[in-house]
Amino acid sequence: MVPSDMISTNYTAPLEMLSNSTSTSISELANDLITTTQLLTAEEDSCNELNTSCVCHTEYASYEGLETLMLGLIAVPIIMFGIMANVTSMRIFTHRIMSSSSINWYLAVLSASDTLILVSAFFVLSLPRFGEYLKWWRANYISYSVTPYMYGLMMTAQTCSVFMTVGVSVHRYIGVCHPYKSVEWLPKKRVTSFIIGLLTFSVLFNTTRFFEVHISNVCYRENIDYYMPSLQPTALRLDDFYIQIFFGWAYTIVMYVIPFTLLIALNSMVLAAVRRSRRMHMVSQCGAESEEFSKKAERKERQTSIMLIAIVLLFIFCNTLAFVCNIIENMGGDGPLYRTLVTTNNLLVIINASCNICVYMLFSDKYRMLLRYYLYCDWSRQGELLVSSVLT
């Protein structure tokens, strides 16, 4: 952040020259004034988005009404709900009853990454628009001050969320389509290493994101009577080679092409296997009475598979527009329609990060039981025994 006493650096030299010229002639003062005016006029004429001078940042640019509505007024309650829901999900999936299944480890990490998405999206996307709506400019100041860091965190968490969804799909594909090899292929140590590897990749892939935006100055905005940081892209973000390689190829392939292809292919095979299992189960019931334990276990397996497929379908629905926006951006698209699509896409990403709890509640008996357990705060030993007896 630039100190306030440095904000007027561009003007101090000519102004001091005027104040110390008591012994100069009127003609010299006039020449100095003309020179100062010419300098300021030339600087104003050279104003563009990359100019860091406060001469070029005297007005606060308001957000469009649709952005304020969708990312400010609508997104804020969704974010608040999503943060509470994901924190609850993290606690449930790390409970000893749920953590006994390694597939829930992915869901615990997914809930954590979704929480980080929502927290960073609040500071980067929602807080400045909400603050503008309330005319609470301190909120905008805070948002712009932390955006260079929160932006990188948001992109890292989003990458982690994408690959946790892919990871849980791979895990379920092996468990359903190769059940006899799952014990060999999916020991808990290997699952742990796989999750750590995905987390490490997410961080490394987004390292440059923390160096794409910076605060260039803190300038007084006349139309709101408030000092506000000026956010500008760094030289890295403007580099043509970086844009072409990272955004044109790497980001598109890593964040969209590979995940979407894997998710559609793996979950199609899982869904086909679930349908075959259901048909076989119906045939076996016609021939003989199945054991109660076997039927219950098979039912739970199908529910788990359907739950994970539902999570993937929600993910694809909420992120397809992001893929479209990425393609339009790579083609150099811009304009009102593109900005509307980006705004809608950001809201859909927020919804996706907030609503997985609905899928868990719909398909998981254990999740519903543990949710009631925590909502009623029955953390006594008796309550713990009751949960354990019901879920076993």
Side-chain angles (χ1 to χ4, degrees), residues 127-194:
L127 185 59
R129 292 160 178 85
F130 194 66
E132 179 185 297
Y133 178 78
L134 298 176
K135 306 300 180 186
W136 182 35
W137 304 116
R138 182 64 180 173
N140 294 65
Y141 188 98
I142 294 172
S143 171
Y144 298 153
S145 298
V146 301
T147 288
Y149 316 104
M150 286 295 176
Y151 172 70
L153 177 63
M154 181 170 62
M155 302 310 297
T156 302
Q158 190 172 5
T159 304
C160 177
S161 180
V162 169
F163 281 93
M164 282 303 120
T165 307
V166 173
V168 77
S169 296
V170 172
H171 190 110
R172 197 57 190 165
Y173 164 75
I174 295 174
V176 172
C177 298
H178 302 280
Y180 299 108
K181 296 182 180 180
S182 61
V183 176
E184 177 187 352
W185 290 357
L186 298 173
K188 292 188 175 182
K189 186 175 181 180
R190 183 173 294 176
V191 172
T192 302
S193 301
F194 184 50

Side-chain angles (χ1 to χ4, degrees), residues 344-364:
T344 307
N345 161 62
N346 288 331
L347 180 61
L348 286 174
V349 171
I350 290 172
I351 291 173
N352 181 217
S354 303
C355 292
N356 281 335
I357 188 174
C358 301
V359 178
Y360 303 145
M361 291 175 61
L362 185 62
F363 292 102
S364 176

Side-chain angles (χ1 to χ4, degrees), residues 40-327:
L40 292 176
T41 303
E43 195 166 12
E44 289 175 354
D45 291 340
S46 65
C47 281
N48 55 54
E49 295 181 354
L50 302 180
N51 196 317
T52 61
S53 172
C54 282
V55 174
C56 302
H57 300 279
T58 59
E59 298 289 322
Y60 172 82
S62 299
Y63 295 102
E64 296 181 0
L66 183 64
E67 285 188 66
T68 303
L69 174 65
M70 296 180 70
L71 298 180
L73 302 182
I74 296 177
V76 167
I78 295 175
I79 289 174
M80 296 299 106
F81 167 78
I83 291 174
M84 292 187 292
N86 285 315
V87 170
T88 303
S89 294
M90 280 190 286
R91 183 63 191 94
I92 289 176
F93 287 125
T94 54
H95 190 277
R96 61 182 180 80
I97 295 175
M98 298 291 273
S99 62
S100 59
S101 174
S102 58
I103 200 167
N104 290 327
W105 301 354
Y106 296 93
L107 300 180
V109 179
L110 178 62
S111 299
S113 61
D114 283 345
T115 302
L116 293 179
I117 289 174
L118 294 173
V119 170
S120 53
F122 173 76
F123 282 101
V124 175
L125 301 175
S126 296
L127 185 59
R129 292 160 178 85
F130 194 66
E132 179 185 297
Y133 178 78
L134 298 176
K135 306 300 180 186
W136 182 35
W137 304 116
R138 182 64 180 173
N140 294 65
Y141 188 98
I142 294 172
S143 171
Y144 298 153
S145 298
V146 301
T147 288
Y149 316 104
M150 286 295 176
Y151 172 70
L153 177 63
M154 181 170 62
M155 302 310 297
T156 302
Q158 190 172 5
T159 304
C160 177
S161 180
V162 169
F163 281 93
M164 282 303 120
T165 307
V166 173
V168 77
S169 296
V170 172
H171 190 110
R172 197 57 190 165
Y173 164 75
I174 295 174
V176 172
C177 298
H178 302 280
Y180 299 108
K181 296 182 180 180
S182 61
V183 176
E184 177 187 352
W185 290 357
L186 298 173
K188 292 188 175 182
K189 186 175 181 180
R190 183 173 294 176
V191 172
T192 302
S193 301
F194 184 50
I195 292 175
I196 292 175
L198 292 177
L199 290 173
T200 303
F201 171 78
S202 300
V203 173
L204 293 177
F205 182 72
N206 290 280
T207 301
T208 58
R209 293 289 195 172
F210 292 90
F211 306 98
E212 288 187 4
V213 182
H214 73 116
I215 299 174
S216 61
N217 213 333
V218 179
C219 301
Y220 177 74
R221 311 305 169 105
E222 297 174 355
N223 57 333
I224 61 172
D225 188 27
Y226 205 88
Y227 282 92
M228 200 68 68
S230 297
L231 290 172
Q232 291 184 326
T234 62
L236 174 67
R237 182 62 179 84
L238 298 173
D239 184 78
D240 291 335
F241 180 76
Y242 177 74
I243 293 174
Q244 181 179 1
I245 297 299
F246 188 82
F247 289 97
W249 293 100
Y251 188 75
T252 303
I253 293 173
V254 170
M255 290 296 291
Y256 298 110
V257 176
I258 293 176
F260 275 55
T261 302
L262 288 175
L263 289 174
I264 293 172
L266 293 174
N267 286 278
S268 296
M269 289 184 281
V270 170
L271 183 60
V274 169
R275 288 178 175 176
R276 287 196 302 269
S277 173
R278 180 172 295 178
R279 287 196 297 267
M280 292 174 61
H281 180 68
M282 292 174 64
V283 171
S284 65
Q285 278 187 325
C286 295
E289 187 70 23
S290 300
E291 294 183 3
E292 187 66 25
F293 180 80
S294 176
K295 289 193 297 183
K296 186 179 294 186
E298 196 168 333
R299 175 177 167 272
K300 287 183 178 180
E301 287 297 316
R302 284 200 304 269
Q303 275 190 325
T304 301
S305 298
I306 294 172
M307 180 186 74
L308 298 178
I309 291 172
I311 292 173
V312 170
L313 290 176
L314 177 63
F315 170 85
I316 292 175
F317 172 78
C318 292
N319 287 273
T320 298
L321 185 57
F323 193 10
V324 174
C325 291
N326 180 260
I327 294 173

